[in-house]
Amino acid sequence: MTDNAPVPGHGHGHGHGLKRLGGTWGECLAEFLGTFILIALGDGVVAMAVAGLPGSGRTQGPTTFFLATGDWMLIVWGWALAVAFAVYVAGGISGAHINPAVTLAFAIRRKFPWNKVGPYVIAQVVGAFVGAALVYLVYHDAIDAFNTALGTTRTGPQGNVTFSIFATFPAPYFHGDWGGPLIDQIVGTAFLVMFVVAVIDARNTAVQANLGPLLIGFVVAVIGMSYGANAGYAINPARDFGPRLFAYFAGWGDVALPGTVPGAFSAYFWIPIVGPLIGGVVGILIYDVFIGTVLQARAGREEPPGRTQEFLPAETTAVSR
């Protein structure tokens, strides 16, 4: 089914406004909405697992969750589908980067315009913030009930449990050290960007465009299954910082920003920002060195290695998640 109907209320008399929306502003709107959907569904599934199901009497007790790997699979597949539908919604307009690490990697290796990097990132962070606000609007009663049953507050020693609905923190076995989580975020995001580029590379075994978003969702699922427990597999600075900023204003205080739980970790907020930005560049470089150059040589092309057909709007596909 194809919907080509004009938007109601936007006739010929609004042509100048539509022209503005056809450029970077329109792409930023798509990035905002795509990231909003990503967080509204992704954080929503975590809220369901952490607070909604226990508080609604659907688990063994009001604070019972994560009894088995099945609970983790709920979150993994929830995030996977969140990514897929976010890309389906925004992909035809902005390319659905919905991740500053993807935007930066494409600017460095795919000639994505540098003057769009800042607007894209701002739209992504704001979309993530608003998505977290929606999750809080729907689940704040369940969150408060869970904290009461657990005997803690949002800023208490166990406040990070409900904070995990919104953003990430490292596993206890890192003992507050930042090295392990940083490596984890670099590795996870490197795989993310590498696989996204492989999925959309028309010179490789690229899928049809209408299946690309679903496969990118599968990419997020496999990363969550393989590397999720170490640090919550943020693999996306906007996905972590936008909701983290909202959680700070919503009462989680230092647990959110700078990201501190006494005796566990301190000033963690920068890890899910810096790690993914590094990892995204590493992932796209690895793909281009090991695969892109070989594909270029086989095709006998003269363009720089690694140029691929991407989910980008028409005016930027000349550079050809």
Side-chain angles (χ1 to χ4, degrees), residues 54-205:
S56 66
R58 292 177 173 85
T59 58
Q60 290 183 5
T63 62
T64 302
F65 67 100
F66 281 153
L67 285 178
T69 54
D71 298 310
W72 185 250
M73 290 300 98
L74 169 66
I75 290 176
V76 165
W77 285 110
W79 274 106
L81 292 173
V83 170
F85 286 112
V87 177
Y88 272 121
V89 168
I93 304 298
S94 67
H97 294 184
I98 59 176
N99 185 339
V102 173
T103 301
L104 177 64
F106 281 7
I108 290 175
R109 294 296 297 175
R110 294 297 182 274
K111 295 188 177 180
F112 180 76
W114 279 102
N115 65 343
K116 293 186 178 184
V117 171
Y120 265 51
V121 171
I122 292 171
Q124 291 157 1
V125 172
V126 174
F129 183 96
V130 178
L134 178 65
V135 172
Y136 181 81
L137 175 67
V138 174
Y139 279 105
H140 69 275
D141 291 325
I143 290 170
D144 290 341
F146 183 90
N147 280 335
T148 298
L150 195 60
T152 189
T153 63
R154 296 179 187 184
T155 56
Q158 293 181 289
N160 60 308
V161 177
T162 48
F163 168 72
S164 69
I165 291 169
F166 299 98
T168 64
F169 56 85
Y173 45 71
F174 289 117
H175 302 294
D177 178 55
W178 58 263
L182 181 63
I183 293 172
D184 171 85
Q185 287 300 289
I186 292 172
V187 170
T189 314
F191 277 126
L192 170 69
V193 175
M194 185 193 312
F195 296 159
V196 166
V197 173
V199 166
I200 66 178
D201 192 343
R203 305 164 309 169
N204 206 333
T205 54

Side-chain angles (χ1 to χ4, degrees), residues 2 18 21 43 50 52 99 109 118 125 156 169-170 217 240 243 253 277 301 304:
T2 301
L18 287 179
L21 288 177
D43 278 4
V50 170
N99 185 339
R109 294 296 297 175
V125 172
F169 56 85
D240 192 86
L277 292 176
R301 296 179 178 178

